[in-house]
Amino acid sequence: MEIACQKWECKALKLHDRRFNIDFMVYRVKNGFGVVSHEDRKNPIRNPICGFYCEVRCRNNYFLKYPTMILAEKKWVELKKFSMPTAPSVFLVSWTDCIGYVKYDENLKVRREWGGRNDMRDSEDVEPLIHIPREYFKIMHHY
């Protein structure tokens, strides 16, 4: 998230509130947008100028290893819920060789599949997943 914030000239506010099922709210810090310090922020959701919402994943594989990136369907629904025409939500992924992102768009051709990690302790711990083709990701940084 740090590299993305440097590239986008923004700040990211971690959403700890359980009402949100998404990682960060990202807001601008240049061109006249005000920033309220964390100490002075009484309501961290209302004070900063909101840019967009962002879900973040860190992968331990290189970008080209798999044809798609998976995301829990409930997270995809949250990205949709918080997207606006002028500020679509973003899914940001860090792979071992690069960082990329995809903006939520209901016209993206994604695949739904039932699944989960194969090393889970609970065999019933599976859920609907969304497969996002890697060609939809815009690479913003190479390691």
Side-chain angles (χ1 to χ4, degrees):
M1 193 70 214
E2 229 176 273
I3 292 171
C5 283
Q6 289 172 357
K7 297 256 185 204
W8 292 331
E9 298 177 317
C10 63
K11 297 270 187 188
L13 177 65
K14 178 72 175 156
L15 298 173
H16 297 287
D17 192 320
R18 291 184 180 177
R19 292 174 294 173
F20 296 96
N21 195 14
I22 205 159
D23 291 330
F24 293 94
M25 182 183 70
V26 180
Y27 57 97
R28 300 241 180 246
V29 293
K30 66 172 214 162
N31 297 333
F33 286 99
V35 178
V36 178
S37 72
H38 291 290
E39 295 79 25
D40 295 336
R41 191 176 294 121
K42 297 197 179 18
N43 182 339
I45 305 308
R46 292 186 186 163
N47 285 344
I49 304 299
C50 183
F52 59 90
Y53 291 88
C54 185
E55 182 66 22
V56 178
R57 287 289 175 278
C58 296
R59 297 287 119 211
N60 290 320
N61 57 274
Y62 55 91
F63 176 67
L64 295 176
K65 185 169 183 178
Y66 300 108
T68 63
M69 178 64 203
I70 61 171
L71 179 67
E73 184 179 41
K74 64 184 175 189
K75 295 287 189 173
W76 188 248
V77 169
E78 290 295 300
L79 289 173
K80 176 182 181 178
K81 183 167 88 174
F82 289 109
S83 282
M84 298 185 329
T86 57
S89 295
V90 170
F91 180 36
L92 179 73
V93 182
S94 174
W95 290 274
T96 56
D97 57 343
C98 64
I99 298 173
Y101 67 93
V102 62
K103 294 179 182 178
Y104 175 84
D105 182 341
E106 61 187 36
N107 296 315
L108 292 178
K109 305 268 191 266
V110 297
R111 185 177 86 239
R112 178 190 286 157
E113 187 176 277
W114 192 261
R117 294 176 55 173
N118 57 12
D119 64 345
M120 293 282 196
R121 285 175 250 138
D122 183 356
S123 62
E124 295 182 14
D125 195 6
V126 293
E127 63 184 324
L129 302 172
I130 297 296
H131 285 258
I132 305 166
R134 70 173 174 237
E135 55 267 13
Y136 289 152
F137 285 87
K138 181 175 180 181
I139 302 303
M140 65 181 306
H141 180 77
H142 290 277
Y143 293 113

